[in-house]
């Protein structure tokens, strides 16, 4: 954290070359400044790295910053100012889109904490594996049967609709479990500020639990999508 | 001072509006008409745009074109559906660019749209008594990148600096926000001549944030007319045994007749359709509102799916919607009112004229950009997901639909083969899983890579969607930190060079257009002055000397001769000469009228 501050303090205004205090506008010539690239999405909104976010507060901050950066406000500015406002605005909008959604938010946080890693892979929950394999077979069969055997097709459809409900509610349970870890993370994060070296193991295990839940959720999401498409495309 | 105007470049009609102090106003022509029919025709004199071109639809269907907006940003392959609307012939200039054959000319949709833009530009200039060079132009919210780019190109060809492309429903919401102080969650249902949009906005303390948008760029009033036209053609076939499908004049006659009937049925319960056909045959039938509704109901029903999807994307339910606003001429149909009310469980509004509200909103946005209105800010979204082709033809989404714009994404690319010198990146827009089902936007080629072992190069590509909803791409070689050369091949639409050439041509055209206009004006004026002079000479001959009479006659002949040529300067010159030489004659005539006037009057009646 302190390193970043030092870096910011050394930045110069692109226009008048006076030293910048880390704000988005130069104190001296009031020109818009590129948002420092090392700011993460939380920092862009001046928020702590928490997973629980008050959405109304986030929206208020988003609107406030939009009123500073939006390209509409720099229409009559120089090309340089236009380019900076476009870039700042684009980053702001991407940050808002990510933090507003709890799933995107936690995925982003995991990436931040663990460095640039690949997307979290989808993985079937062990206890559901067999059930899902069976379901996929039924879905294939349902698609094949089509209109040739209306009775069989209706039966399969019934089974699939029941499964769809079951998996849907299972996904919701996973999400609930995931969100219940948010507060635990936030508490840990607050403690971390005072004791940066403590509880490393706890943090790591918490991140891993969140990742596992996300993996399972991503898997169920794909299964649900396939089901949805199959049932929709082959409507009797 | 030049003004930034707001232009609604519509499928059926176009309008131009400006900010008059704190209020947006639509600019009317001398006859008080605000709508410019988006119809273009051509004759020996040149281009004809608007109401006059519309009248030529029936007399000169082969050299008149309408609903050009339906062709914007399209190739011939994806215009099959639209082809049935066009009596004129469509060809492809090169893959991805349609050409419309119009008399001796072949023009692309952006060039044709530019003619409409020039017409409204001219109207604004005449009214505002200043030059207009900057504009905000509206497009359907569901327009893709190529369609937006084509609209921007049209503006450039018309000599306009297009400061912003704004979505039509959003523009309408701006107008409502400014004039009716609407707040909360607003659903804008926009059914125009050729497109349907639904946008869900949250309006709060001057911020107009679009939460989600959806729509159908192949659905509008045109489709209803088409449906009715097919019905009539079928009935004529049965009743008179005539197949008029290929008779372009008859088809236009029927289309316009049915369009009129449709409009009448918005206020009447029943209307009489009378369409004169050839050889004195007249097609006649009465059409009830109920029948119209049952014949087009399925088309209107197509708008409900997008409404549902937009709400879902906005993470809202029906009860969260505070207001429903209707935009577009087709929403005047009572059926549309009813279905919208049924779906949203709320009575929709249309306090602002649904034909004008989009142009008004464009003028509001123009004023925001000019720094006039300072408390209002529009945050719009991109309607379609943007992605790239990955292994197996799968679409990898970089920017999901309904992301607030401007927005960006970056992606790292490398090589597959040792020594590979270039990498292709194919960009698509759409919601389907496979790229083949989505719309190709462009191919970007990362060129001149250093020859390195496979997988070693690190090229970071930045995709930015600007506030117009248009994509920009840049790339950086992370190993060297240098900007990476990138060659863009748009899948649809004109290249920069082509647009530049068209701008140049349009200037040439504009010059000859102007010359033609000056000539017509000079001839008209000459005709008037010749008529007056000849009458005056008849009356005043006894009052003037013979040689004066001969000199006037000489100048009359000279002017007549000049009007037969096409030099408007010469005509002007001779008008002036004639004017000067007849001053004395005019004076003599005045005196004599005055005296004859006095003769018949009593002294007491004199002033």
């Amino acid at each position: 954290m302190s390193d970043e501050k030092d870096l910011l303090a050394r930045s110069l205004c692109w226009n008048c070359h006076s030293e910048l205090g880390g704000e988005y506008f130069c104190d001296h010539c009031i020109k818009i400044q590129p948002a420092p690239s090392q700011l993460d999405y939380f920092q862009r909104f001046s928020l702590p790295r928490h997973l629980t976010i008050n959405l109304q507060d986030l929206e208020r901050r988003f609107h406030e910053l939009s009123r500073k950066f939006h390209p509409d406000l720099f229409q009559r500015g120089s090309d340089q100012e236009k380019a900076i406002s476009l870039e700042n605005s684009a980053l702001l909008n991407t940050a808002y889109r990510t933090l507003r959604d709890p799933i995107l938010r936690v995925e982003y946080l995991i990436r931040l904490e663990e460095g640039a890693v690949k997307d979290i892979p989808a993985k079937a929950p062990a206890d559901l594996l067999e059930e899902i394999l069976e379901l996929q077979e039924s879905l294939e069969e349902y698609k094949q049967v089509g209109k040739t055997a209306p009775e069989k097709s209706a039966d399969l459809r019934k089974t699939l609709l029941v499964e769809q409900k079951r998996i849907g509610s299972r996904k919701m349970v996973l999400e609930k479990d995931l969100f219940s870890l948010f507060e635990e993370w936030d508490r840990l994060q607050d403690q971390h500020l005072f004791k940066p070296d403590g509880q490393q193991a706890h943090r790591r295990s918490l991140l891993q639990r969140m990742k596992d839940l996300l993996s399972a959720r991503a898997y169920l999401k794909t299964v649900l999508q396939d089901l949805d498409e199959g049932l929709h495309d082959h409507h009797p | 001072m030049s003004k930034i105007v707001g232009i609604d470049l519509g499928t059926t009609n176009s309008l131009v509006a400006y900010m008059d102090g704190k209020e947006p106003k639509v600019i009317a022509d001398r006859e008080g008409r605000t709508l410019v029919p988006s119809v273009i025709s051509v004759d020996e004199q040149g281009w004809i745009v608007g109401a006059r071109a519309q009248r030529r639809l029936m007399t000169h269907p082969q050299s008149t074109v309408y609903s050009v907006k339906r062709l914007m940003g399209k190739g011939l392959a994806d215009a099959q559906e639209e082809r049935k609307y066009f009596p004129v012939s469509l060809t492809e200039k090169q893959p991805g660019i349609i050409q419309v054959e119009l008399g001796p000319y072949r023009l692309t949709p952006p060039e044709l749209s530019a003619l409409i833009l020039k017409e409204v530009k001219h109207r604004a200039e005449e009214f505002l008594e200043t030059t207009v060079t900057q504009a905000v132009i509206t497009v359907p919210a569901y327009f893709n990148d190529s369609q937006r780019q084509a609209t921007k190109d049209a503006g450039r060809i018309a000599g306009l600096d297009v400061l912003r492309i704004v979505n039509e429903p959003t523009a309408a919401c701006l107008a409502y926000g400014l004039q009716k102080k609407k707040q909360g969650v607003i659903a804008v249902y926009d059914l125009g001549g050729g497109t349907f949009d639904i946008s869900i906005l949250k309006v709060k303390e001057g911020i107009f944030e679009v939460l989600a948008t959806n729509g159908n760029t192949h659905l509008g009033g045109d489709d209803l007319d088409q449906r009715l036209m097919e019905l009539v053609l079928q009935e004529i076939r049965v009743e008179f045994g005539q197949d008029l499908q290929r008779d372009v004049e008859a088809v236009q006659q029927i289309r316009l007749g049915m369009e009129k009937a449709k409009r009448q049925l918005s206020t009447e319960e029943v209307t009489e359709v009378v369409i004169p056909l050839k050889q004195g045959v007249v097609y006649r039938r009465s059409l009830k509102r109920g029948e119209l509704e049952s014949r087009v109901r399925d088309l209107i029903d197509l708008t409900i799916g997008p409404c549902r999807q937009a709400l879902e994307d906005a993470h809202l339910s029906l009860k969260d919607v505070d207001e429903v606003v209707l935009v577009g001429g087709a929403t005047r149909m009572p059926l549309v009112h009813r279905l919208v009310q049924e779906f949203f469980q709320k009575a929709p509004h249309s306090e602002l004229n649904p034909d004008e509200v989009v142009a008004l909103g464009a003028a509001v946005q123009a004023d925001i950009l000019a720094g006039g209105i300072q408390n209002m800010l529009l945050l719009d979204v991109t309607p379609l997901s943007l992605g790239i082709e990955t292994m197996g033809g799968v679409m990898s989404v970089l920017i999901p639909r309904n992301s607030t714009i401007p927005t960006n994404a970056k992606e790292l690319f490398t090589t597959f083969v040792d020594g590979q010198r270039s990498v292709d990146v194919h960009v698509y827009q759409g919601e389907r899983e496979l790229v083949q089902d989505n719309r190709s936007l462009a191919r970007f080629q990362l060129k001149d890579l250093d020859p390195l072992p496979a997988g070693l190069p690190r090229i970071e590509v930045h995709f930015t969607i600007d506030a117009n909803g248009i994509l920009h791409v840049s790339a950086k070689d992370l190993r060297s930190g240098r900007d990476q050369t990138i060659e863009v091949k748009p899948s649809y639409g004109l290249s920069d060079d082509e647009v530049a050439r068209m701008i140049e041509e349009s200037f040439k055209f504009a010059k000859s257009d102007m010359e033609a206009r000056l000539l017509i004006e000079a001839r008209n004026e000459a005709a008037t002055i010749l008529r007056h002079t000849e009458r005056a000479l008849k009356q005043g001959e006894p009052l003037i000397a013979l040689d004066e009479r001969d000199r006037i006659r000489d100048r009359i002949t000279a002017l007549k001769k000049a009007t037969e040529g096409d030099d408007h300067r010469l005509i002007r010159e001779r008008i002036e000469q004639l004017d000067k030489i007849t001053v004395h004659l005019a004076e003599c005539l005045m005196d004599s009228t005055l005296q004859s006037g006095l003769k018949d009057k009593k002294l007491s009646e004199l002033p």
Side-chain angles (χ1 to χ4, degrees):
Chain A
M1 283 297 267
S2 60
D3 287 348
E4 278 167 10
K5 268 242 152 62
D6 290 344
L7 260 174
L8 292 181
R10 280 194 293 273
S11 322
L12 297 182
C13 169
W14 58 269
N15 185 50
C16 70
H17 303 291
S18 55
E19 221 170 81
L20 289 174
E23 259 309 311
Y24 292 113
F25 293 86
C26 173
D27 294 336
H28 196 70
C29 68
I30 346 173
K31 292 281 185 206
I32 186 169
Q33 302 296 323
S37 57
Q38 59 277 65
L39 289 189
D40 67 43
Y41 292 171
F42 295 94
Q43 290 167 326
R44 276 173 204 282
F45 286 101
S46 315
L47 287 170
R49 204 177 276 191
H50 278 182
L51 282 172
T52 315
I53 286 185
N54 176 337
L55 288 180
Q56 275 173 0
D57 174 60
L58 183 69
E59 183 191 63
R60 191 184 51 75
R61 289 166 194 260
F62 170 60
H63 286 174
E64 215 168 84
L65 289 169
S66 294
R67 282 198 188 276
K68 289 186 178 168
F69 296 152
H70 198 275
D72 280 9
L73 310 167
F74 296 90
Q75 185 66 49
R76 291 163 304 147
S78 66
D79 285 352
Q80 176 90 349
E81 287 171 276
K82 281 185 193 166
I84 295 173
S85 104
L86 176 64
E87 180 71 15
N88 282 2
S89 227
L91 280 170
L92 174 71
N93 289 336
T94 308
Y96 181 55
R97 185 169 73 238
T98 309
L99 293 192
R100 187 174 48 176
D101 181 282
I103 300 294
L104 294 178
R105 187 191 310 150
V106 63
E107 284 175 347
Y108 174 71
L109 178 110
I110 292 169
R111 274 205 302 279
L112 264 186
E113 290 291 330
E114 306 203 325
V117 284
K118 288 273 168 223
D119 288 345
I120 295 157
K123 213 172 115 200
D127 62 313
L128 279 184
L129 200 55
E130 212 161 304
E131 194 180 330
I132 288 171
L133 285 178
E134 239 168 73
L135 181 156
Q136 278 164 337
E137 257 169 53
S138 305
L139 182 60
E140 273 319 299
E141 202 180 345
Y142 173 71
K143 285 186 196 167
Q144 305 271 316
V145 169
K147 293 198 168 67
T148 53
E151 236 167 80
K152 171 120 190 163
S153 168
D155 272 356
L156 279 167
R157 189 175 177 85
K158 224 189 213 160
T159 320
L160 289 172
L161 283 170
V162 172
E163 281 298 325
Q164 189 182 31
K165 256 215 179 96
R166 262 177 61 87
I167 297 198
S169 58
R170 179 61 193 265
K171 182 172 154 253
M172 270 167 45
V173 169
L174 282 178
E175 283 168 3
K176 229 180 117 206
D177 289 351
L178 178 66
F179 298 153
S180 73
L181 297 181
F182 280 17
E183 279 178 42
E184 196 178 331
W185 168 265
D186 294 349
R187 271 198 307 278
L188 214 56
Q189 186 68 6
D190 290 340
Q191 289 162 9
H192 176 70
L193 285 180
F194 304 104
K195 278 199 307 182
D197 297 326
Q199 293 157 329
Q200 276 304 344
H202 191 175
R203 284 167 68 90
R204 268 202 300 277
S205 89
L206 190 53
L207 286 172
Q208 190 55 51
R209 273 155 72 200
M210 291 196 283
K211 260 162 63 177
D212 291 345
L213 286 167
L214 282 168
S215 288
R217 181 190 170 275
Y219 192 87
L220 295 189
K221 200 177 150 203
T222 324
V223 173
L224 282 171
Q225 260 168 8
D226 289 349
L227 260 176
D228 217 38
E229 261 167 47
L231 288 168
H232 186 264
D233 292 351
H234 299 263
H235 203 274
Chain B
M1 196 193 79
S2 90
K3 271 225 177 249
I4 310 176
V5 296
I7 298 173
D8 173 3
L9 181 60
T11 310
T12 324
N13 292 298
S14 298
L15 297 92
V16 56
Y18 76 111
M19 206 68 175
D20 184 16
K22 286 190 168 150
E23 214 182 319
K25 282 193 180 141
V26 173
I27 299 176
D29 65 5
R30 288 204 190 90
E31 282 84 46
R33 292 173 300 197
T34 54
L35 302 178
V36 177
S38 301
V39 185
I40 300 139
S41 191
V42 65
D43 68 5
E44 310 75 41
Q45 309 273 339
W47 298 109
I48 303 163
V49 179
R52 267 183 65 221
Q54 196 175 33
R55 284 194 290 276
R56 288 170 57 86
L57 263 175
M58 282 198 259
T59 54
H60 300 82
Q62 308 276 14
S63 52
T64 308
V65 64
Y66 58 99
S67 295
V68 171
K69 189 172 178 179
R70 284 188 171 246
L71 300 176
M72 293 287 270
K74 287 187 177 165
L76 207 51
D78 49 11
Q80 290 311 318
E81 185 60 23
E82 333 296 326
R83 273 182 109 159
K84 63 179 182 213
Y85 294 95
F86 292 96
V88 291
S89 116
L90 302 180
T91 52
E92 204 160 37
K93 183 179 178 181
Q94 64 202 53
I97 303 172
I98 287 176
Q99 271 188 325
V100 181
E101 212 175 292
L102 213 54
Y105 302 98
R106 281 177 177 213
L107 271 80
T108 60
E111 288 172 289
L112 288 165
S113 294
L115 290 167
I116 301 171
L117 289 174
K118 266 189 213 164
E119 180 73 20
V120 296
K121 174 178 185 264
H122 183 72
R123 172 182 286 199
E125 286 174 337
E126 225 167 51
F127 179 85
L128 298 169
E129 293 176 350
T130 172
T131 53
V132 170
T133 54
Q134 296 180 311
V136 168
I137 302 180
T138 61
V139 295
Y142 218 54
F143 253 20
N144 65 30
D145 184 274
S146 328
Q147 291 168 306
R148 286 167 195 272
Q149 189 62 57
T151 306
K152 230 182 152 191
D153 291 343
R156 281 173 62 199
I157 297 166
L160 287 168
D161 182 8
V162 183
L163 297 185
R164 180 60 49 84
I165 297 285
V166 182
N167 295 326
E168 285 155 12
T170 324
C173 195
L174 278 180
Y176 268 96
L178 182 73
Q179 301 208 285
K180 302 286 170 194
K181 309 279 176 248
K182 294 260 185 271
Q183 293 257 16
V185 173
I186 299 178
V188 183
Y189 179 103
D190 181 356
L191 188 60
T195 55
F196 168 68
D197 281 327
I198 174 77
S199 287
I200 315 280
L201 290 96
K202 187 169 175 183
V203 182
K204 195 175 166 187
E205 289 153 14
I207 300 250
F208 290 67
E209 187 182 349
V210 181
L211 301 176
T213 193
N214 209 294
N216 185 337
T217 51
H218 295 258
L219 181 62
D222 275 6
D223 298 87
L224 308 185
D225 301 343
Q226 179 77 16
R227 178 66 65 80
L228 295 174
M229 193 185 84
E230 279 159 13
L231 165 75
V232 172
L233 283 172
Q234 173 61 24
E235 288 186 351
I236 289 175
R237 220 167 296 153
V238 173
E239 197 175 329
F240 304 106
Q242 284 186 30
D243 188 359
L244 300 177
Q245 191 82 45
R246 311 245 162 264
D247 182 338
V248 280
E249 278 168 45
V251 165
Q252 284 314 311
Q253 192 107 17
I254 294 166
R255 193 181 67 85
L256 292 171
M258 294 321 286
E259 199 245 319
K260 197 171 130 205
K262 176 191 75 181
R263 271 189 283 120
Q264 278 168 344
L265 288 176
S266 290
T267 48
E268 315 280 323
E269 281 296 334
V270 61
T271 185
E272 206 59 37
V273 181
V274 180
I275 300 171
L277 303 169
K278 277 169 198 157
Q279 285 136 14
V281 179
V282 176
Y283 169 85
R284 211 183 274 275
R285 111 200 282 274
S286 78
L287 184 65
K288 288 196 178 125
R289 186 189 288 173
E291 187 183 349
L292 166 77
E293 292 185 347
S294 65
R295 295 213 179 258
V296 300
R297 163 89 198 225
D298 61 314
L299 291 173
I300 309 295
D301 279 341
L302 289 176
T303 64
I304 298 303
C307 291
R308 196 169 281 131
Q309 185 65 53
L311 269 178
E312 197 185 315
D313 286 356
H315 305 293
L316 294 176
S317 61
L318 284 168
K319 63 174 177 3
D320 298 318
V321 177
D322 296 312
E323 314 254 3
V324 181
V325 165
L326 294 180
V327 180
T331 61
R332 287 210 171 87
M333 284 177 78
L335 173 66
V336 174
H337 261 261
R338 247 182 9 249
L339 290 183
V340 171
Q341 176 152 6
E342 242 167 62
F343 177 77
F344 284 102
Q345 295 157 25
K346 214 159 261 115
H349 292 275
S350 47
E351 297 139 287
L352 297 179
N353 183 336
D355 287 322
E356 295 182 356
V357 63
V358 168
L360 294 175
V364 174
Q365 179 64 25
D367 200 50
I368 292 173
L369 295 180
I373 301 174
Q374 295 194 340
N375 63 332
M376 281 166 77
L377 180 64
L378 172 58
L379 302 172
D380 218 321
V381 299
T382 177
L384 300 158
S385 299
L386 181 98
I388 50 173
E389 178 173 5
T390 54
M391 296 289 274
V394 174
M395 166 107 163
S396 160
V397 172
L398 297 175
I399 297 173
R401 69 166 182 270
N402 292 318
S403 293
T404 306
I405 49 173
T407 185
N408 59 11
K410 58 185 174 192
E411 188 79 8
L412 213 53
F413 293 93
T414 186
T415 50
F416 274 112
V417 188
D418 289 345
Q420 190 177 331
R421 299 298 303 271
S422 70
V423 174
D424 266 5
V425 182
H426 200 163
V427 184
Y428 289 84
Q429 238 178 351
E431 309 311 321
R432 303 286 296 275
E433 210 156 312
L434 297 178
V435 290
Q436 65 187 41
D437 301 320
N438 290 322
R439 195 178 165 79
S440 163
L441 280 193
R443 267 175 199 282
F444 298 96
Q445 193 171 49
L446 307 172
K447 285 170 56 165
D448 310 323
L449 303 180
D450 291 333
L452 286 169
L456 219 54
R458 289 268 179 280
I459 312 294
E460 190 178 74
V461 180
H462 286 247
F463 301 86
T464 301
I465 298 182
D466 67 14
N468 300 315
I470 292 176
L471 176 70
H472 304 266
V473 176
S474 65
K476 200 170 218 156
D477 184 341
L478 289 189
R479 292 168 49 88
S480 68
R482 273 182 320 206
D483 282 344
Q484 167 68 44
T485 325
I486 192 161
E487 193 181 282
V488 185
K489 284 186 211 139
S491 310
Y492 296 90
L494 306 164
S495 68
D496 260 4
D497 288 348
E498 283 167 316
V499 174
R501 187 182 52 71
M502 285 169 181
I503 293 171
E504 212 170 284
E505 270 175 17
S506 93
F507 275 126
K508 261 188 262 163
F509 276 136
K511 210 171 158 215
S512 63
D513 285 354
M514 181 63 86
E515 294 277 308
R517 180 178 290 189
L518 287 172
L519 179 63
I520 291 168
E521 280 171 7
R523 277 182 182 153
N524 288 343
E525 204 169 311
T528 313
I529 196 168
L530 282 168
R531 213 168 48 238
H532 285 305
T533 315
E534 271 165 359
R535 204 175 50 211
L537 200 55
K538 216 189 249 169
Q539 289 173 9
E541 226 182 302
L543 305 173
I544 55 173
L546 275 183
D547 68 319
E548 186 179 348
R549 185 199 67 188
D550 288 342
R551 267 184 286 135
I552 292 175
R553 284 219 171 121
D554 176 56
R555 284 299 94 198
I556 287 176
T557 320
L559 178 58
K560 274 185 181 162
K561 208 160 176 191
T563 57
E564 282 159 23
D566 49 15
D567 183 352
H568 63 84
R569 286 175 200 83
L570 185 68
I571 300 174
R572 290 268 167 216
E573 199 176 290
R574 297 204 169 152
I575 287 176
E576 231 166 88
Q577 291 170 353
L578 186 60
D579 245 349
K580 238 182 238 159
I581 210 165
T582 53
V583 169
H584 181 245
L585 171 66
E587 281 168 6
C588 294
L589 274 171
M590 282 276 268
D591 286 348
S592 82
T593 351
L594 209 56
Q595 279 162 15
S596 70
L598 289 181
K599 237 190 280 175
D600 298 335
K601 286 197 169 72
K602 297 187 186 123
L603 222 61
S604 61
E605 282 172 355
L606 287 173

